[in-house]
């Protein structure tokens, strides 16, 4: 009676062939080496594929509204002096947003010469931006300028020379010179001006204010550009963040003996070439693999008079890592439009506007790995498939070689 081991031998599906019945060929050796190389390569790719974290995206309607929207931006204007630039934010109705400013949320200006940053950066307050030509006309009237009349132009006021800034224009807790509320600090020239404006007081001589001594005038910045960067907190209800002409325009025209309102407006337009480079814009913390559409985007305005508008759709995003930690941030998509404006067109003033709207959709991105079971299954498929394919190729090549040589050795 056959033993158990003899019975099991009949189930052997991998019976070996004696060496005396094997035929070893050059093409067989080449295919064996190729088989080994292909298997090693495919296993390494499977190893990377199965153990590298990938992401799975889910999109759903956002049931809650985010608490706030933080935007970090860095924009370079190679043709506009820092003294002429101001930054502000409006809500969808055109009303000013109440911007929270602290040690984290601040905006800085940095002067540029020949495309290179020089000097020390300076902090400044948001606001006091102009959107319409009427705003410039009102400013011109407050300066004492007359309506356009080439024969009757008044003398412009002399502008005092100011020192070039050699340090940040902020101290730990500066004085508001009697206009402060309890516990309030005036760390910049803009802080002092705002405190006086709130009290309804007139600041007679700005140059006696310590915080204003290093403020650079636009005249000192002829031929310079400006880099503006910072972080501000905005409303989630939508609106816009814009960089437009500011109170620095008050200093324009003071170098000329006579100037009219029309001349003042034309000079303002010509001084505000909004060609720019968006170095960076973020609506929250960084997440892996996120591509920022506007980073490094350069826009050149050929005719000087332009209002560049970016329409940004902000999508709240939750990123969940393999270890379970989460980042709540925002992604965005953007379209852009150049609006041509002229001094007498009534279409507004030159500037750069970032219009944003928070989407009702919410994206969840979750990292995951396929794991060991999927990896070993793939390895078995790779090894078996490669061996089978190379074996078929070896037999086919061997058969054709034998037929071509006319031999009758049927071994192998």
């Amino acid at each position: 009676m056959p033993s158990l081991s003899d019975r099991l031998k009949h189930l052997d599906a991998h019976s070996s062939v004696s060496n005396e019945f094997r035929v070893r060929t050059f093409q067989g050796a080449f295919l064996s080496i190729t088989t080994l190389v292909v298997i090693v390569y495919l296993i390494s790719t499977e190893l990377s594929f199965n153990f590298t974290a990938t992401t799975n995206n889910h999109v759903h309607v956002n049931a809650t509204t985010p608490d706030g929207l933080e935007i970090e931006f860095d924009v370079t204007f190679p043709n506009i002096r820092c003294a002429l630039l101001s930054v502000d934010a409006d809500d969808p109705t055109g009303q000013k947003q109440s911007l929270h400013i602290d040690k984290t949320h601040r905006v800085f200006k940095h002067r540029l010469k020949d495309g290179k940053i020089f000097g020390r950066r300076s902090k400044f307050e948001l606001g006091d931006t102009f959107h319409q030509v009427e705003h410039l006309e009102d400013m011109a009237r407050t300066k004492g300028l007359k309506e356009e009349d080439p024969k009757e132009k008044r003398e412009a006021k002399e502008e005092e020379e100011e020192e070039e800034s050699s340090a940040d224009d902020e101290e730990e807790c500066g004085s508001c010179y009697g206009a402060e509320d309890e516990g309030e600090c005036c760390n910049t020239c803009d802080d002092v001006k705002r405190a006086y404006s709130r009290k309804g007081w007139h600041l007679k001589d700005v140059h006696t204010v310590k915080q204003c001594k290093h403020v650079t005038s636009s005249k000192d910045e002829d031929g310079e550009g400006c880099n503006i960067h910072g972080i501000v907190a905005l409303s989630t209800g939508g609106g816009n963040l814009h960089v437009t002409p500011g109170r620095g325009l008050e200093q324009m025209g003071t170098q000329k003996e006579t100037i009219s309102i029309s001349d003042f407006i034309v000079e303002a337009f010509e001084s505000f070439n909004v060609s720019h480079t968006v170095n960076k814009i973020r609506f929250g913390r960084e997440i892996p693999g996120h591509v920022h559409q506007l980073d490094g985007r350069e826009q050149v305005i050929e005719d000087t008079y332009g209002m560049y508008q970016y329409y940004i759709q902000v999508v709240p995003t939750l990123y969940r890592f393999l270890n379970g930690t989460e980042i709540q941030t925002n992604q965005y998509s953007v379209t852009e439009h150049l609006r041509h404006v002229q001094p007498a067109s009534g279409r507004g003033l030159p500037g750069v506007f970032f219009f944003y709207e928070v989407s009702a959709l919410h994206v969840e991105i979750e990292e995951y790995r396929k794991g060991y079971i999927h990896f070993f299954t793939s390895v078995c498929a790779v090894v078996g498939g490669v061996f089978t394919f190379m074996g078929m190729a070896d037999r086919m090549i061997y058969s054709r070689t034998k037929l071509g040589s006319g031999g009758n050795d049927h071994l192998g």
Side-chain angles (χ1 to χ4, degrees):
M1 183 175 180
S3 64
L4 178 61
S5 60
D6 292 333
R7 292 178 181 178
L8 291 176
K9 289 179 181 179
H10 293 289
L11 302 177
D12 183 10
H14 302 283
S15 56
S16 302
V17 179
S18 177
N19 285 335
E20 61 182 305
F21 296 106
R22 294 180 182 274
V23 178
R24 302 186 184 277
T25 61
F26 172 79
Q27 65 266 18
F30 176 77
L31 289 175
S32 297
I33 295 174
T34 304
T35 299
L36 180 62
V37 172
V38 171
I39 287 177
V40 170
Y41 171 73
L42 292 178
I43 289 178
S44 65
T45 58
E46 285 294 330
L47 185 66
S48 174
F49 177 72
N50 285 277
F51 292 101
T52 300
T54 56
T55 57
N56 194 12
N57 297 346
H58 304 279
V59 181
H60 58 83
V61 176
N62 194 10
T64 60
T65 302
D67 295 333
L69 186 65
E70 190 174 84
I71 176 172
E72 179 182 4
F73 64 95
D74 185 336
V75 185
T76 297
F77 295 87
N79 303 311
I80 306 180
R81 295 163 284 177
C82 282
L84 301 182
L85 288 171
S86 287
V87 179
D88 204 356
D90 295 340
D91 62 20
T93 65
Q95 300 298 315
K96 301 292 184 184
Q97 291 198 33
S98 178
L99 297 174
H100 176 65
I101 299 297
D102 54 26
K103 290 186 178 296
T104 301
H105 302 91
R106 293 305 299 263
V107 179
F108 300 89
K109 290 180 181 179
H110 223 144
R111 297 167 66 187
L112 300 176
K113 190 74 171 180
D114 298 325
K116 298 180 180 179
I117 291 176
F118 74 98
R120 302 289 295 274
R121 68 181 183 178
S122 61
K123 298 179 180 180
F124 71 103
E125 295 297 325
L126 306 181
D128 292 331
T129 57
F130 300 133
H131 299 173
Q132 303 296 331
V133 174
E134 290 77 7
H135 298 159
L136 294 185
E137 293 176 347
D138 292 341
M139 176 193 288
R141 292 188 181 96
T142 61
K143 288 164 60 69
L145 303 185
K146 299 178 180 179
E147 297 293 341
E148 181 178 11
D149 186 350
K151 296 181 180 179
E152 295 182 8
K153 294 184 178 181
R154 70 179 297 274
E155 288 187 11
K157 295 178 290 184
E158 291 246 345
E159 181 182 356
E160 296 183 1
E161 294 290 333
E162 297 180 85
E163 299 177 1
E164 182 176 323
S165 176
S166 58
D168 285 358
D169 60 347
E170 181 170 7
E171 54 187 53
E172 196 64 32
C173 186
S175 170
C176 295
Y177 296 87
E180 69 274 5
D181 292 333
E182 184 177 354
E184 182 181 10
C185 298
C186 291
N187 297 329
T188 68
C189 185
D190 289 327
D191 288 342
V192 178
K193 291 179 180 179
R194 187 179 63 251
Y196 266 71
S197 176
R198 185 177 61 242
K199 294 286 187 180
W201 298 352
H202 176 62
L203 188 60
K204 294 182 178 180
D205 190 358
V206 70
H207 300 295
T208 61
V209 177
K210 179 181 178 182
Q211 293 90 325
C212 299
K213 288 184 178 180
H214 299 295
V215 176
T216 307
S217 68
S218 61
K219 185 178 69 175
D220 296 328
E221 299 178 349
D222 282 343
E224 294 182 9
C226 189
N227 171 262
I228 295 184
H229 60 277
I231 302 175
V232 295
L234 302 177
S235 167
T236 56
N240 71 80
L241 179 76
H242 52 268
V243 184
T244 58
R247 289 290 175 185
L249 291 176
E250 292 177 343
Q251 303 173 19
M252 291 179 52
T254 56
Q255 296 84 7
K256 300 180 180 180
E257 295 183 357
T258 57
I259 186 172
S260 68
I261 293 178
S262 177
D263 293 335
F264 176 79
I265 293 173
V266 171
E267 184 178 351
F269 270 76
E270 292 179 349
S271 301
F272 222 79
N273 182 343
V274 294
S275 296
H276 63 279
T277 300
V278 181
N279 303 307
K280 179 181 182 181
I281 186 165
R282 302 285 187 274
F283 288 89
R285 297 170 60 187
E286 292 276 4
I287 57 176
H290 187 198
V291 177
H292 304 280
Q293 290 179 255
L294 288 180
D295 283 12
R297 182 73 62 86
E298 183 178 0
Q299 306 293 354
V300 178
I301 313 300
E302 300 291 345
D303 59 359
T304 300
Y305 308 144
M307 180 190 293
Y308 217 93
Q309 300 168 321
Y310 296 95
Y311 296 91
I312 300 173
Q313 187 77 16
V314 180
V315 182
T317 301
L318 177 67
Y319 193 98
R320 185 177 294 111
F321 291 91
L322 282 171
N323 59 8
T325 60
E326 297 179 347
I327 292 178
Q328 184 65 55
T329 184
N330 298 282
Q331 301 182 83
Y332 69 88
S333 61
V334 61
T335 57
E336 53 197 74
H337 172 68
L338 174 61
R339 181 180 183 183
H340 294 278
V341 295
Q342 297 293 334
S345 66
R347 294 168 59 86
L349 297 177
V352 176
F353 288 75
F354 297 94
F355 295 92
Y356 71 93
E357 179 183 13
V358 179
S359 173
L361 299 179
H362 188 94
V363 176
E364 290 187 6
I365 305 175
E366 184 176 6
E367 289 185 345
Y368 71 98
R369 289 192 183 119
K370 295 185 180 297
Y372 286 97
I373 295 178
H374 194 278
F375 171 69
F376 287 125
T377 302
S378 300
V379 168
C380 293
V382 165
V383 174
V386 173
F387 263 109
T388 301
F389 178 79
M390 292 300 182
M392 293 172 56
D394 183 37
R395 285 192 294 272
M396 183 181 300
I397 295 173
Y398 180 77
S399 298
R400 288 182 176 276
T401 302
K402 283 310 215 176
L403 289 174
S405 62
N408 54 6
D409 186 3
H410 300 291
L411 295 180

